[in-house]
Amino acid sequence: MKELLLGLRLLLGSGRGNRVRFMLMVVGSGVGVCCLAVVLAIPGILAAQDARKAAREPDCSNGRGSCLSTTGDGLALTRMDPYGSEPLTRIFVAQTGAPITPPPGLPELPGPGEVFVSPRLHELLDKDPGLAQLLPGNEVGLISAQGLAQPDELYAYVGAKPEELKGGGHLSEFGWKHARFPTVEPSTLDILRFTLAGVVLLPLAVFLSVCARLSAASRMRRLAALRLLGLSAKGTQRVNAAETVAAALLGAVLGLGAYWVVNQLVARAGLPGFKWYPADGALPGTALLVCLVGCPALAWFVGRAGAKKAAANPLAVRRSAVEKPPRLWGLLPLVPGLGIVIGYCLAGATGNVPTDTSFSAILMPLAVVLVGAGLVLSLPILSRVLARTVARVTSSLSLGLAMRRNEVEPGGALRVATGLVLLVYAASLTQGVLIELNQVSKNTSPVQLYTMALDDVPENKERALTKVPGVRSHAIQAQSWTDPSSETWASISAVIATCGQLRRMASLVENCVDGRPARLMVQGHTYDEVSKPGKMFPFHLRNSEGERRVVNVEVPRQTIKYHDDTAAQMASSGAVLLPPSLFPAGFRPEDRATLKLLSGAAPKTVRSVLEGIAGVDPTIEVETDGVDAAALQQITVIKTLLAVGMILGLIIGVAAYLVAATDRAVERRPQVTALALLGARPRTLRAVQAAQVVLPLAVGLVLAVVTGKMAESSYLVTGGGAVFWDGAGLPLLLASALGVVVVAALGALPLIGRRIDPELIRRD
């Protein structure tokens, strides 16, 4: 305790310069803790949103999944449609018995012809009148915040009559143990945690360590003096740790206060594609504990480690003895990390993609951490080797002085360059994550396909659906009947349409003759071997009155070259085109038959067609081929959070560089003053200062780009996607690295003052 009090007394009574340095340490720690709090708050925000989603889930929302009960006092039907890249969720409810407790956010359940909507959906209804077709009824109120995952959610409860919800599930209450459509899937959330750990937490640990070691040289001389006066070795370390812990603790309080302000402001303004309520961003107890205890604990260990040299050999510190060269054990983490990364890259290059994803989920993050730590620890070693090599061969005075200084003090490169090197390394990893996320299925074709179960579409509604504005063409797809007792289960797929309908749906249709069946041959696709010419397949038909018939279809020999532009081919190779005239009037297939509509893929057109379909029947379940609204929203959220992580990483990296470079320049003022008194010109001194920073940084950045691209490729290999090598992202990464070098060089120039102050070297 005496040593701790001594450290605080030295802090308060050691002059204005030390107090200013202490305040800088506090501010730097505050910035770091604020960034840490942002990262720690993200899981809590997502969990709060998912909890509200789970609390409003109908116990049987679509009539097809598992239910809590097979009976209830009502019916519920869930429909989710894309509105641009956002999901629009509609809950159709009908009460058939005793009153049902309404879900959170509603005063009561809507009756037939009544609609409760979210505030943002209420605003859109005024701007887009066609949206009302998806929400039949009169708006009677708004859903409050307790019933919404986030303020901008598109959500509605629509009252209906029981006979209108034929496919609805039995409803007895609202609330489920988990959300059907979480804000971020658990597997995707693991990707987010992995990326934020590399982009934010690793540079943050370095930044906090840098802040804890401000003015390390002058502090070590003061600690060495205390050691020579009789203070014990452990006491010397505690004196230094007291100052760093005090700065870290005040910085933690300052950072938490800054986070509270940031949370209040950003939650109300929102981020692109992601908003939350300010209460969701409140830090849990564990996060507060990490900030208020973890950061001072890190400062304690850094402070004790920083004073180790002064405690062990105070005379060497007071006399400015030459530092021992860094040992090669600093390369130890880099070797196994690169071994894992190279192994995955070779596996991807040879086509032996690993299939054990659980093992890769452990090994890949371990490799990323090892490579990142190896980059940090290998910088002093590489800096010293480079400095010795360049100093021997150069004839430039500026470069020679710079390299000799780096050779004597290789740890300076670690302090200055680490933050920016890790930033470039993390940027490459983030590119890999974005590439993997972009491989999620989404419609990139010029057309949009809509699929509906034919059993849900009566014949009169089928005709109305085909006439919806924006629909180019339509067809019915059906499977032939299969005998459950048969061992083969052989069946063929049939497309029921005229040649005109087919041509309006496909980009390639050759040899099509109206009224004549033919096989569709899709180039580049595997042919269905069951569809052999001459074989017979039965199709079971039914009309609106319930009468059934069977039509046997012989696979024709005639073929049609076919290819459409949908996200996935509408018809497989070997499917049979059947003209509608082949079936009796009023009869339609009943076995796994679907109605398919086609339109343009422009967002406005898709929205108009969905609104037109809802105008025919708002309860029809429509599958939009290649467009998963829930998945697209998750991708938007992940991209936004990754952008936040990159911004935080940029702030941390730049702050670490500015703090370390400025502190190093201040520490070197006695050496710079001595050189100036010996006749060195300011231009030479500035060149020396820039070279000391730029060359080690350039080496670190080259290593960061190489290892980062290798780590990115190995991550893509283990991700199971189709893209393994990101050549398109390399120019951006190189340009970023070059920009970092330029900024570092420019930042080093003003650190050499014009005025010579001999007082700085008076004691020497």
Side-chain angles (χ1 to χ4, degrees):
M1 181 61 70
K2 292 181 179 180
E3 292 85 358
L4 298 179
L5 294 176
L6 177 59
L8 295 179
R9 290 182 63 185
L10 288 174
L11 168 65
L12 297 175
S14 55
R16 186 179 63 178
N18 282 328
R19 287 194 291 270
V20 171
R21 174 182 52 78
F22 177 77
M23 293 306 301
L24 289 177
M25 292 171 63
V26 171
V27 173
S29 299
V31 172
V33 170
C34 182
C35 294
L36 177 62
V38 171
V39 175
L40 296 178
I42 290 174
I45 293 174
L46 299 178
Q49 293 185 354
D50 289 343
R52 289 194 294 273
K53 287 184 176 182
R56 71 189 182 191
E57 286 287 350
D59 59 0
C60 195
S61 56
N62 62 358
R64 298 183 302 176
S66 60
C67 306
L68 289 177
S69 62
T70 57
T71 60
D73 296 319
L75 297 173
L77 186 69
T78 298
R79 292 290 179 255
M80 180 180 288
D81 303 292
Y83 189 84
S85 60
E86 301 176 73
L88 167 59
T89 305
R90 299 171 293 152
I91 308 294
F92 292 88
V93 293
Q95 299 192 70
T96 58
I100 300 173
T101 303
L106 290 188
E108 60 182 359
L109 282 179
E114 296 179 343
V115 180
F116 283 92
V117 298
S118 62
R120 177 144 181 268
L121 191 53
H122 170 76
E123 297 175 1
L124 289 177
L125 283 169
D126 294 334
K127 301 176 183 178
D128 184 4
L131 193 59
Q133 298 183 84
L134 294 165
L135 307 167
N138 298 319
E139 182 183 322
V140 295
L142 298 179
I143 305 172
S144 66
Q146 291 79 9
L148 297 175
Q150 45 97 0
D152 278 352
E153 189 176 20
L154 303 179
Y155 209 85
Y157 292 92
V158 183
K161 298 178 180 179
E163 58 270 18
E164 296 174 344
L165 304 182
K166 295 180 180 179
H170 296 283
L171 174 65
S172 57
E173 62 180 358
F174 288 88
W176 190 240
K177 57 185 177 181
H178 55 77
R180 289 181 61 210
F181 301 101
T183 306
V184 178
E185 291 287 346
S187 59
T188 311
L189 188 58
D190 291 338
I191 297 175
L192 179 63
R193 291 194 183 104
F194 161 75
T195 309
L196 290 181
V199 174
V200 180
L201 297 185
L202 191 59
L204 182 59
V206 174
F207 174 60
L208 292 176
S209 300
V210 168
C211 291
R213 295 200 62 194
L214 281 175
S215 297
S218 60
R219 290 164 66 189
M220 291 310 102
R221 290 173 62 85
R222 186 177 63 190
L223 293 172
L226 292 175
R227 180 75 176 96
L228 292 173
L229 289 174
L231 191 64
S232 66
K234 290 185 178 180
T236 303
Q237 291 177 310
R238 293 193 189 104
V239 168
N240 188 50
E243 184 176 0
T244 57
V245 168
L249 187 58
L250 290 178
V253 175
L254 179 65
L256 291 176
Y259 167 75
W260 184 87
V261 175
V262 169
N263 177 54
Q264 296 294 323
L265 295 177
V266 178
R268 286 171 170 78
L271 298 173
F274 184 53
K275 290 190 71 175
W276 64 94
Y277 294 104
D280 295 345
L283 290 175
T286 53
L288 291 174
L289 193 64
V290 169
C291 294
L292 292 175
V293 177
C295 293
L298 174 64
W300 170 265
F301 288 109
V302 171
R304 285 181 59 89
K308 186 176 180 181
K309 182 179 178 181
N313 195 352
L315 284 176
V317 173
R318 292 298 300 176
R319 295 173 179 175
S320 302
V322 178
E323 294 184 8
K324 293 181 180 180
R327 299 180 180 179
L328 294 179
W329 66 264
L331 297 174
L332 190 59
L334 193 61
V335 174
L338 284 179
I340 297 172
V341 167
I342 293 173
Y344 277 125
C345 290
L346 291 177
T350 57
N352 300 313
V353 180
T355 57
D356 189 353
T357 55
S358 59
F359 182 68
S360 297
I362 298 174
L363 200 59
M364 191 61 229
L366 177 63
V368 170
V369 173
L370 288 175
V371 172
L375 282 175
V376 175
L377 297 177
S378 63
L379 280 179
I381 302 173
L382 298 177
S383 176
R384 187 171 187 274
V385 172
L386 174 68
R388 292 185 64 182
T389 304
V390 175
R392 288 174 182 174
V393 299
T394 185
S395 58
S396 169
L397 175 62
S398 302
L399 192 57
L401 286 174
M403 293 301 98
R404 289 303 181 188
R405 186 64 195 177
N406 281 352
E407 181 183 358
V408 173
E409 189 190 0
L414 175 66
R415 296 172 56 197
V416 176
T418 299
L420 298 178
V421 168
L422 286 178
L423 178 63
V424 173
Y425 173 69
S428 184
L429 285 177
T430 306
Q431 281 186 346
V433 174
L434 292 176
I435 290 171
E436 184 184 24
L437 294 177
N438 284 331
Q439 297 182 64
V440 174
S441 175
K442 58 182 179 179
N443 190 14
T444 56
S445 67
V447 296
Q448 178 62 56
L449 187 66
Y450 312 84
T451 303
M452 292 151 278
L454 198 61
D455 289 341
D456 298 338
V457 183
E459 190 173 359
N460 60 330
K461 291 185 178 181
E462 178 190 340
R463 289 192 294 268
L465 290 172
T466 60
K467 297 178 182 178
V468 168
V471 173
R472 294 183 185 178
S473 187
H474 67 280
I476 293 177
Q477 190 173 36
Q479 293 291 126
S480 64
W481 179 80
T482 55
D483 185 359
S485 61
S486 173
E487 297 181 357
T488 59
W489 287 79
S491 67
I492 61 169
S493 176
V495 177
I496 304 171
T498 64
C499 289
Q501 292 173 234
L502 197 66
R503 290 190 181 97
R504 289 192 296 272
M505 297 190 78
S507 57
L508 175 63
V509 177
E510 294 183 0
N511 305 324
C512 186
V513 179
D514 279 321
R516 188 179 71 180
R519 285 174 297 141
L520 300 179
M521 307 295 291
V522 183
Q523 296 179 351
H525 284 241
T526 304
Y527 181 79
D528 184 4
E529 295 297 334
V530 177
S531 180
K532 296 181 179 179
K535 292 190 67 174
M536 299 291 293
F537 292 90
F539 282 83
H540 286 207
L541 311 177
R542 184 175 57 185
N543 64 7
S544 58
E545 298 177 357
E547 298 178 5
R548 286 180 168 82
R549 292 188 184 181
V550 177
V551 173
N552 292 312
V553 174
E554 180 182 355
V555 179
R557 297 188 179 277
Q558 292 81 8
T559 61
I560 296 175
K561 290 184 178 181
Y562 172 85
H563 191 277
D564 61 53
D565 296 323
T566 56
Q569 284 290 318
M570 184 189 72
S572 59
S573 188
V576 178
L577 175 67
L578 300 178
S581 59
L582 186 66
F583 302 103
F587 284 84
R588 302 186 304 169
E590 64 173 355
D591 288 330
R592 294 173 290 172
T594 57
L595 173 65
K596 295 182 179 293
L597 308 179
L598 191 79
S599 77
K604 187 175 181 180
T605 302
V606 174
R607 191 183 313 161
S608 175
V609 171
L610 289 174
E611 292 171 352
I613 294 174
V616 176
D617 186 349
T619 65
I620 293 178
E621 184 174 10
V622 183
E623 180 182 344
T624 48
D625 181 52
V627 178
D628 187 341
L632 290 178
Q633 186 187 42
Q634 288 192 38
I635 298 304
T636 302
V637 171
I638 291 295
K639 287 183 176 180
T640 298
L641 294 179
L642 287 179
V644 171
M646 285 302 299
I647 292 173
L648 293 178
L650 179 62
I651 293 173
I652 293 169
V654 172
Y657 165 74
L658 292 177
V659 169
T662 304
D663 185 55
R664 186 167 181 262
V666 171
E667 285 187 352
R668 290 207 59 242
R669 285 187 301 172
Q671 290 85 5
V672 172
T673 301
L675 291 174
L677 290 175
L678 291 174
R681 293 179 297 179
R683 181 186 302 175
T684 302
L685 296 177
R686 290 191 179 93
V688 170
Q689 185 73 12
Q692 285 178 337
V693 174
V694 168
L695 285 183
L697 179 60
V699 173
L701 290 177
V702 170
L703 189 60
V705 170
V706 173
T707 57
K709 295 305 293 183
M710 292 171 62
E712 175 193 356
S713 298
S714 60
Y715 174 80
L716 292 174
V717 168
T718 58
V723 177
F724 288 171
W725 320 109
D726 174 30
L730 187 58
L732 177 61
L733 200 62
L734 292 175
S736 302
L738 181 61
V740 166
V741 172
V742 172
V743 170
L746 295 177
L749 296 180
L751 300 180
I752 302 299
R754 295 182 178 181
R755 187 173 62 88
I756 299 175
D757 186 6
E759 181 67 20
L760 293 171
I761 59 173
R762 179 179 62 83
R763 295 177 182 176
D764 292 337

